[in-house]
Amino acid sequence: MQHSKVKAFPENFLWGASTSAYQVEGANLEDGKGPSCQDVKEVPEGTSDLSVCADHYHRYKEDIALMAEMGFKAYRFSISWSRILPKGTGEINPKGIEFYNNLIDECLKYGIEPIVTMFHFDMPAALDQRGSWSTRESVDWFVDFAKILFENFGDRVKYWLTINEQNMLTLVGSVIGTTTLPKGCENPLKEIYQQNHHMLVAQAKAMALCHEMLPKAKIGPAPNISVVYPESCKPEDTIAAQNANALRNWLYLDAYVYGIYNNIVWSWLEENDAVPDFAPGDEEILKNAHPDFIGFNYYNTASCKEGDDIEQGGAISQQENLGIKGFFKGVRNPYLKTTEFGWEIDPVGFRGTIREIYSRYHLPMLVTENGLGAYDKLTEDGKIHDPYRIEYLKQHIEQIQLAISDGCDMMGYCPWSAIDLISTHEGMVKRYGFIYVDRDEFDLKTMARYKKDSFYWYQRVIQTNGDDLSTQIE
């Protein structure tokens, strides 16, 4: 649909950006922090460990000041579970509470709204050893953790996100380094969807607890949503795309918003002897979650067709789309360009994704991740020219404005990432930030911060509330 005149961004639109604790903070075992699953996993060959990252733990004041200079209205970050509870349960680490209190206060000093993700791929290693999400106890672990967060930070944090990319934890957990299956597991698929069920129940209980403890706060999920196209207008390809969309997207959002399992996925689980076991009261818990908004990460769309000849070998990133035998087969989209790292780029699909989410759920939406990873280079005169990132973000912001003009309720835009950090798969060389960190994969160099061209561009976008998206940098 073409609009003769597009609508303006809302006056209170939350322009910002995102990070996650395990990728940006460093200090992974300092000041009483316990190890997380990310700290003990085997990192991809040739990539940095997580001991230093961007050293945000020690340099957060400098980093927040730079975000304020950009004009951020919001900063979306995650709280490390094992920095608060070194063993995942039990004794609270006062140094962890102190750090996040300081971080939140530093944001508020500049008028930046803290948006807190409660769980971002970093289960405490001690809880991994106790079964992680496979055990029903994980529901109570997460709710107890949520209560500590609400008690300590709820007086200042108005926006909460429960679990980052739960669908990716379920679909490609081994890629992220989070999948823990019990020894001797005979039905891995059932086990994975039992873990998923425990996460659904845990986040639903956390939402209800938030509404009880913090009646003025807002809370929502943060899945990675990627609308799937059929390869052709062949009817069987459309059915395959419906299957893929249900499995990748609607299973999670249907459960978050309506408290029910998607019927297509439920039928698939039944056929594969993978239906999760419900504990007494689970149905009611799921239906009482009532999220206030939908946070979602978007990087690209996907495409698929009918087909059983699925390539073997498994996915190598969250955005890999291989397919499932008898359900759908992933294919490349010939109409889309790709990044240096092979991810398809689809700004128009962003608008389509927003429209689809809103038409199904009718809740305000917050973009919690969207960005371009690239091999940025620091010049001798201290500049980082990243026109490719500016163009990527410009095209996606334009599509948000078109979606707003379509009648979709958009709360804000927090692209990935505020500052360079350790990528889950490619380490430090795959940079996403507006702020450059002077370090290589293993050589920490100066760790100094430099403003990329995209820093100044985004600064102007925020100053004009999205009115000026021109790519010219003075």
Side-chain angles (χ1 to χ4, degrees):
M1 180 169 67
Q2 300 293 325
H3 293 285
S4 57
K5 185 177 181 181
V6 296
K7 294 180 181 177
F9 285 91
E11 286 186 21
N12 59 349
F13 194 73
L14 294 171
W15 297 100
S18 296
T19 64
S20 83
Y22 84 90
Q23 293 171 279
V24 77
E25 286 178 3
N28 64 335
L29 297 176
E30 285 187 35
D31 288 342
K33 179 184 176 295
S36 77
C37 64
Q38 298 292 345
D39 298 317
V40 300
K41 76 176 184 181
E42 185 177 344
V43 299
E45 186 177 352
T47 65
S48 171
D49 63 22
L50 302 172
S51 57
V52 177
C53 298
D55 200 26
H56 189 56
Y57 185 78
H58 296 113
R59 298 169 182 253
Y60 70 91
K61 287 188 177 182
E62 177 185 2
D63 295 340
I64 299 299
L66 286 166
M67 295 178 203
E69 185 180 339
M70 258 189 288
F72 278 21
K73 309 300 182 186
Y75 173 37
R76 180 235 176 182
F77 60 90
S78 74
I79 288 180
S80 166
W81 189 336
S82 59
R83 198 178 292 283
I84 301 295
L85 294 163
K87 296 182 180 178
T89 61
E91 189 174 349
I92 296 173
N93 175 24
K95 284 286 189 180
I97 299 291
E98 179 184 357
F99 170 69
Y100 291 110
N101 269 327
N102 291 340
L103 179 61
I104 290 165
D105 289 345
E106 198 69 17
C107 288
L108 295 174
K109 182 174 88 174
Y110 292 103
I112 297 172
E113 202 72 65
I115 300 174
V116 172
T117 309
M118 298 160 66
F119 181 77
H120 194 126
F121 299 167
D122 56 355
M123 176 68 79
L127 298 186
D128 248 2
Q129 295 168 6
R130 293 169 61 182
S132 190
W133 293 108
S134 283
T135 173
R136 178 71 190 192
E137 287 180 283
S138 62
V139 173
D140 294 331
W141 297 340
F142 185 73
V143 174
D144 290 344
F145 172 53
K147 185 180 181 187
I148 292 168
L149 300 189
F150 298 153
E151 286 174 341
N152 284 276
F153 312 123
D155 59 327
R156 286 153 293 154
V157 176
K158 298 177 185 176
Y159 297 98
W160 298 88
L161 297 159
T162 51
I163 296 177
N164 179 75
E165 294 193 353
Q166 182 181 334
N167 51 341
M168 297 298 99
L169 289 167
T170 301
L171 293 166
V172 290
S174 59
V175 170
I176 302 168
T178 56
T179 296
T180 300
L181 295 176
K183 289 183 179 179
C185 176
E186 295 182 357
N187 188 341
L189 189 66
K190 180 177 174 63
E191 188 61 43
I192 287 169
Y193 280 89
Q194 189 66 54
Q195 292 180 357
N196 180 64
H197 180 73
H198 291 152
M199 282 188 267
L200 289 174
V201 174
Q203 65 88 35
K205 292 189 77 169
M207 285 185 187
L209 182 65
C210 181
H211 291 136
E212 177 186 327
M213 294 180 64
L214 308 172
K216 293 183 179 179
K218 296 184 185 298
I219 189 166
N224 179 316
I225 301 301
S226 182
V227 164
V228 185
Y229 304 132
E231 184 185 47
S232 74
C233 54
K234 179 182 175 185
E236 288 81 0
D237 287 350
T238 296
I239 294 295
Q242 289 176 343
N243 293 341
N245 275 301
L247 187 68
R248 196 196 189 286
N249 303 314
W250 315 140
L251 162 64
Y252 304 91
L253 286 170
D254 285 359
Y256 296 145
V257 178
Y258 301 129
I260 58 174
Y261 270 77
N262 179 276
N263 59 289
I264 294 172
V265 177
W266 189 262
S267 297
W268 175 73
L269 292 173
E270 284 180 327
E271 290 203 359
N272 288 276
D273 189 27
V275 169
D277 297 323
F278 276 54
D282 279 1
E283 287 187 34
E284 184 179 2
I285 290 167
L286 291 174
K287 289 183 178 178
N288 286 334
H290 305 306
D292 301 292
F293 64 93
I294 292 172
F296 73 101
N297 302 346
Y298 174 89
Y299 289 94
N300 52 34
T301 48
S303 302
C304 75
K305 66 178 182 178
E306 177 195 30
D308 287 342
D309 53 331
I310 308 302
E311 294 179 25
Q312 299 302 308
I316 59 173
S317 80
Q318 291 105 304
Q319 301 305 112
E320 199 83 9
N321 178 37
L322 299 179
I324 293 176
K325 188 175 178 62
F327 214 42
F328 67 92
K329 179 180 180 178
V331 296
R332 278 284 182 181
N333 188 331
Y335 299 100
L336 301 179
K337 296 178 180 178
T338 61
T339 71
E340 292 177 292
F341 294 88
W343 288 17
E344 293 176 345
I345 301 173
D346 187 3
V348 176
F350 192 23
R351 178 188 182 187
T353 298
I354 294 168
R355 286 159 58 121
E356 188 67 19
I357 296 172
Y358 195 67
S359 68
R360 292 177 69 98
Y361 305 107
H362 297 284
L363 285 174
M365 287 172 287
L366 173 67
V367 180
T368 42
E369 288 182 29
N370 170 240
L372 178 72
Y375 294 108
D376 297 338
K377 299 299 180 186
L378 179 66
T379 63
E380 290 185 5
D381 60 349
K383 308 290 185 183
I384 303 93
H385 302 301
D386 56 345
Y388 39 83
R389 179 169 294 108
I390 291 171
E391 186 61 31
Y392 176 98
L393 296 171
K394 171 184 179 290
Q395 291 177 3
H396 284 76
I397 291 171
E398 287 173 338
Q399 295 298 320
I400 295 176
Q401 190 166 18
L402 289 173
I404 291 171
S405 302
D406 294 332
C408 300
D409 186 355
M410 299 300 296
M411 293 169 53
Y413 180 62
C414 293
W416 190 260
S417 56
I419 184 169
D420 286 345
L421 37 67
I422 302 291
S423 167
T424 305
H425 314 290
E426 288 90 2
M428 197 67 201
V429 298
K430 187 180 186 182
R431 297 176 182 268
Y432 281 91
F434 294 105
I435 300 165
Y436 184 93
V437 178
D438 184 28
R439 63 158 290 185
D440 286 337
E441 207 64 62
F442 302 107
D443 182 357
L444 295 180
K445 294 189 171 182
T446 68
M447 298 294 294
R449 275 57 171 152
Y450 293 87
K451 303 167 193 175
K452 302 180 187 180
D453 285 355
S454 58
F455 177 106
Y456 298 104
W457 174 81
Y458 196 45
Q459 181 185 59
R460 190 177 68 233
V461 170
I462 297 172
Q463 284 174 346
T464 63
N465 196 31
D467 282 348
D468 187 354
L469 295 177
S470 63
T471 57
Q472 196 69 29
I473 301 296
E474 296 179 1

